[in-house]
Amino acid sequence: MASRQVLVSSAACAATAARHALTTHIGPAMRAYATHARASPTISSTRNHKVVVVGGGSAGLAISHQLLRQGQFSPDDIAIVDPAEWHHYQPGWTLVGGGLKDKASLRRPLASLIDAKLRFYNTSLASFSPDSNSVTLGNGETLAYDQLVVAPGIKVDFGSIKGLSAALDDPAAPVSSIYGYETCDKSDRNVKALTSGAALFTQPAGVIKCAGAPQKIMWLALDHWRKAGLYTPANPGSSPISIAFATGLPTMFGVPKYNAVLEMLRQNRGVEGLFGHDLVEVNGDKATFTANGEKLVRRFDLLHATPKMGPHPFVKTSLLANEAGYVDVDDATLRHKKWSNVWSAGDASSLPTSKTAAAITAQAPVLVGNLLKAMEGKDQEIVAGYDGYTSCPLLTGQNKVLLAEFKYGGVPKETFGGMMLGLDLQRTPRIAFYYLKKDLFPWVYYKFMVKGHWGGPNGWIR
Ligand code: UQ1
């Protein structure tokens, strides 16, 4: 979803039409408004859908299409709301930053990914009215629903770090971020342009998408400088380039098993670790952090910054949100804690797991199964089916991936659980996992996942 919040300019006429009648009501009052030289007349209508899905990202698309395939739906029974023109395969942006993929190959026009049997509202969402089972769109239209799925993702807030947006926009500034389509390829250019000096990679305190990505881009850059003879991991002191990882968190990674591997890599590769360092400002070649309540300044010749992220304002300020601003659903059923016909998955949800597309492969089938049971009035058959599964294919170099997979509590849940063979395959970065990440996942994603046919480690869904 775009980060823009659009406020409705006139009270939306909440005429309650017969359910599923799919009729549009333009009330006489609104016609009068329209003929009285209003700058931008607002449409006031109510449309009815069995299911409204807010968001056409990874979760919204997977869920809408799985519903379409598995339920008894007629054309236009399910609607998707999203203002975006493009859908991005965001897990690929790290590879773009490492010079291993072309960014344009990772996006598709959003409309081209939506089945013709789904009704697509290519507009923003203004507000939720769960007590009247409706949402209001940015253009003033009201959509009434039986079931609501809230999956608009989260907002990447480049404004959260003072001076960052201007530095990213300045082609001459050695500052980039793989967290945006516009800047992910600048990371690659900056890395290749650096021949000496201090390289600084940051990760904020707080929740972000794919918590491993801020260090993946560093490992890719390190490999480039190593091959170019500019960085010797065994002897960083004598190398023209120095590398530091500054993170608002206390460790390299939140899951102890994989953290041990990554912390070992950091030490063996001579990367300075600045833990508990939260980037707050970028100014010229200076990065300011808060660390232990104090301000600390580091000079850099290259900066890869990860901005803070959080719920979209229209979610955060809604009745559906918990205190942190995320859609307040049950950890295992994905059903809203207060409104039983509201569901959420993906980054916008309160699910206490790492925010990744892999997580959605496990969340979507649970949400879809439970929503269909609720529609049939079979509440007793709703299953506590989501265990927190998520995955982070952690690039540790230009052809190696540590395939971190875990569930709630940071407990490993590994697909290639080599322990059965007496091997611990996922404790080591491997070339085979690199090809999963680089070639298989992007292919499977557009060919099957967004169409509702991919269940991640559980394989294909019919
Ligand atoms: C996955 O299914 C997936 O989606 C296509 C990813 O890409 C975002 C992943 O990173 C991962 C790890 C999975 C999980 C699937 C397997 C086979 C491990």
Side-chain angles (χ1 to χ4, degrees):
M1 272 301 271
S3 53
R4 219 159 20 109
Q5 185 192 17
V6 178
L7 298 168
V8 190
S9 58
S10 78
C13 170
T16 358
R19 292 246 123 164
H20 322 309
L22 295 167
T23 47
T24 301
H25 298 276
I26 300 179
M30 296 313 295
R31 265 194 213 110
Y33 266 125
T35 46
H36 280 90
R38 268 173 66 93
S40 54
T42 315
I43 312 160
S44 178
S45 65
T46 299
R47 291 170 190 274
N48 297 270
H49 296 283
K50 286 189 178 166
V51 186
V52 168
V53 178
V54 177
S58 304
L61 290 183
I63 290 165
S64 308
H65 290 114
Q66 286 182 30
L67 281 170
L68 189 62
R69 304 262 133 66
Q70 287 164 50
Q72 306 290 317
F73 294 105
S74 303
D76 287 350
D77 274 352
I78 304 171
I80 299 187
V81 181
D82 195 312
E85 182 186 359
W86 293 98
H87 177 100
H88 295 276
Y89 180 69
Q90 294 180 23
W93 287 350
T94 326
L95 294 162
V96 175
L100 300 164
K101 277 237 186 247
D102 162 45
K103 69 177 184 177
S105 72
L106 299 170
R107 69 176 189 173
R108 303 275 186 279
L110 175 55
S112 74
L113 301 176
I114 297 178
D115 192 291
K117 291 195 235 26
L118 301 171
R119 175 66 204 254
F120 178 30
Y121 294 93
N122 199 185
T123 180
S124 60
L125 191 113
S127 59
F128 297 98
S129 305
D131 286 328
S132 59
N133 299 315
S134 68
V135 296
T136 305
L137 306 184
N139 62 12
E141 274 184 293
T142 299
L143 306 184
Y145 57 78
D146 288 347
Q147 302 287 329
L148 175 70
V149 178
V150 187
I154 51 170
K155 183 175 156 176
V156 177
D157 190 3
F158 290 104
S160 61
I161 294 160
K162 200 173 162 204
L164 177 61
S165 291
L168 291 172
D169 289 347
D170 177 359
V175 179
S176 70
S177 182
I178 53 166
Y179 278 90
Y181 183 75
E182 296 308 324
T183 64
C184 58
D185 47 343
K186 192 184 183 196
S187 301
D188 180 44
R189 288 196 294 278
N190 290 353
V191 166
K192 289 187 174 144
L194 189 77
T195 51
S196 69
L200 185 55
F201 294 82
T202 74
Q203 172 154 6
V207 173
I208 60 167
K209 294 165 188 264
C210 189
Q215 66 180 290
K216 293 179 193 174
I217 186 64
M218 173 178 76
W219 299 130
L220 290 175
L222 184 152
D223 228 7
H224 170 80
W225 293 321
R226 183 181 61 76
K227 287 181 184 164
L230 298 167
Y231 189 76
T232 311
N235 196 358
S238 69
S239 304
I241 291 175
S242 67
I243 306 176
F245 186 63
T247 170
L249 307 177
T251 53
M252 292 299 283
F253 200 73
V255 178
K257 170 171 179 174
Y258 309 113
N259 180 59
V261 179
L262 296 163
E263 175 59 19
M264 185 74 80
L265 279 186
R266 184 189 72 73
Q267 291 178 20
N268 290 347
R269 292 174 175 182
V271 170
E272 184 185 4
L274 299 164
F275 296 100
H277 280 55
D278 199 18
L279 180 67
V280 290
E281 185 176 351
V282 180
N283 186 358
D285 64 355
K286 304 225 166 36
T288 305
F289 296 89
T290 52
N292 297 321
E294 287 179 18
K295 286 254 158 90
L296 200 138
V297 178
R298 295 279 294 212
R299 210 196 62 76
F300 62 81
D301 296 285
L302 177 145
L303 173 69
H304 179 274
T306 306
K308 290 185 180 287
M309 299 171 208
H312 289 291
F314 70 86
V315 172
K316 192 174 181 168
T317 60
S318 77
L319 291 169
L320 300 176
N322 66 10
E323 277 195 358
Y326 295 96
V327 186
D328 200 13
V329 290
D330 179 83
D331 292 355
T333 64
L334 280 58
R335 186 180 224 178
H336 197 275
K337 289 185 182 161
K338 186 157 172 215
W339 286 278
S340 61
N341 63 340
V342 178
W343 311 82
S344 180
D347 296 354
S349 73
S350 61
L351 302 171
T353 192
S354 186
K355 299 183 182 306
T356 67
I360 289 158
T361 66
Q363 293 166 9
V366 174
L367 189 156
V368 166
N370 284 344
L371 187 153
L372 292 174
K373 290 292 177 200
M375 280 188 99
E376 293 166 17
K378 295 181 180 161
D379 265 26
Q380 69 287 355
E381 291 181 30
I382 282 175
V383 293
Y386 181 58
D387 61 4
Y389 174 82
T390 188
S391 168
C392 183
L394 225 144
L395 288 147
T396 57
Q398 286 175 340
N399 65 351
K400 290 257 175 82
V401 159
L402 174 72
L403 186 59
E405 284 181 293
F406 48 98
K407 56 184 180 178
Y408 287 141
V411 178
K413 186 187 182 194
E414 299 180 338
T415 304
F416 305 97
M419 291 308 282
M420 286 182 299
L421 306 170
L423 297 162
D424 191 358
L425 290 175
Q426 290 182 229
R427 190 181 291 280
T428 312
R430 294 185 186 278
I431 291 174
F433 298 148
Y434 170 73
Y435 286 104
L436 282 186
K437 161 86 188 159
K438 181 170 128 352
D439 299 322
L440 183 84
F441 292 149
W443 176 79
V444 143
Y445 183 80
Y446 278 123
K447 188 119 176 94
F448 298 104
M449 183 168 162
V450 295
K451 296 178 180 168
H453 287 301
W454 178 242
N458 293 324
W460 277 270
I461 301 170
R462 268 172 35 92

